[in-house]
Amino acid sequence: LAKTTQPISMDSYEGQEVNITCSHNNIATNDYITWYQQFPSQGPRFIIQGYKTKVTNEVASLFIPADRKSSTLSLPRVSLSDTAVYYCLVAMGRRALTFGSGTRLQVQP
Amino acid sequence: DVKVTQSSRYLVKRTGEKVFLECVQDMDHENMFWYRQDPGLGLRLIYFSYDVKMKEKGDIPEGYSVSREKKERFSLILESASTNQTSMYLCASTAGGVTEAFFGQGTRLTVV
């Protein structure tokens, strides 16, 4: 299973763009990259998923370089409600979904 | 609206008891997972199942077993609860071939 490495924590201010990078050096050809968000006392919630290049939805953008050994979750103009833990996962199909420790994002006013 | 439902939100059990945590999904998903989450340790995978009656160990299976007799239901069993199994337990499911996981609301288990 591909192991992921993320920063333990990040701080930001309201209105700023936040970029969280995840390393996954041994990603397999069939693996997709998925990001989740978790608030306290709740289960993680899907944010975005991609295979290569760039994916954008109403919540975030995901940038994946050509070698796919890393990915960057971009949150535009964060607000206090974006304070959460963000997890990067690399998996495909029926293989296990293994979460790392995630990145704790603290947004301040 | 898709749903993963865990049978209890809060549970208090005594040391040595056999504990059943139930998880039901209504999305006809093939894959189901059990995690525990402790402060500072993220989510750790206990067991997962990719088909009825199939199970595979995750990272921390010791002290746990699972059962999947029907596609929609995945049970986590603590054979003899111990205080170090006090934790938040989360169930998730995914469809085959994709990795968007849907999580239940979690069960906070306290073993005294």
Side-chain angles (χ1 to χ4, degrees), chain A residues 34 36 38 41 49 87 97, chain B residues 9 35 37 43 50 99 101 103:
Chain A
T34 313
Y36 290 83
Q38 186 181 26
S41 299
Q49 182 178 77
Y87 295 94
L97 293 184
Chain B
R9 191 81 170 96
Y35 297 87
Q37 186 167 33
L43 281 86
Y50 54 84
T99 55
F103 280 82

Side-chain angles (χ1 to χ4, degrees), chain A residues 33-78:
Chain A
I33 299 155
T34 313
W35 285 79
Y36 290 83
Q37 175 191 56
Q38 186 181 26
F39 298 113
S41 299
Q42 294 184 25
R45 182 176 68 112
F46 172 89
I47 301 175
I48 197 166
Q49 182 178 77
Y51 183 79
K52 61 180 179 181
T53 62
K54 177 183 174 183
V55 179
T56 297
N57 62 22
E58 64 278 4
V59 175
S61 294
L62 178 60
F63 298 92
I64 305 168
D67 66 6
R68 305 201 327 122
K69 292 183 183 299
S70 67
S71 59
T72 299
L73 174 73
S74 181
L75 304 172
R77 296 179 298 282
V78 295

Side-chain angles (χ1 to χ4, degrees), chain B residues 3-55:
Chain B
K3 226 177 177 89
V4 178
T5 304
Q6 294 182 226
S7 52
S8 303
R9 191 81 170 96
Y10 299 95
L11 211 52
V12 180
K13 294 292 182 180
R14 294 193 179 277
T15 302
E17 275 193 77
K18 190 169 186 176
V19 180
F20 294 85
L21 302 183
E22 307 285 348
C23 175
V24 177
Q25 49 95 1
D26 64 1
M27 298 163 281
D28 200 36
H29 280 172
E30 295 178 7
N31 310 314
M32 297 187 74
F33 306 82
W34 274 108
Y35 297 87
R36 66 176 282 177
Q37 186 167 33
D38 302 288
L41 295 179
L43 281 86
R44 293 183 290 167
L45 181 64
I46 304 172
Y47 269 97
F48 67 103
S49 166
Y50 54 84
D51 202 352
V52 174
K53 297 192 185 297
M54 303 299 290
K55 61 184 179 183

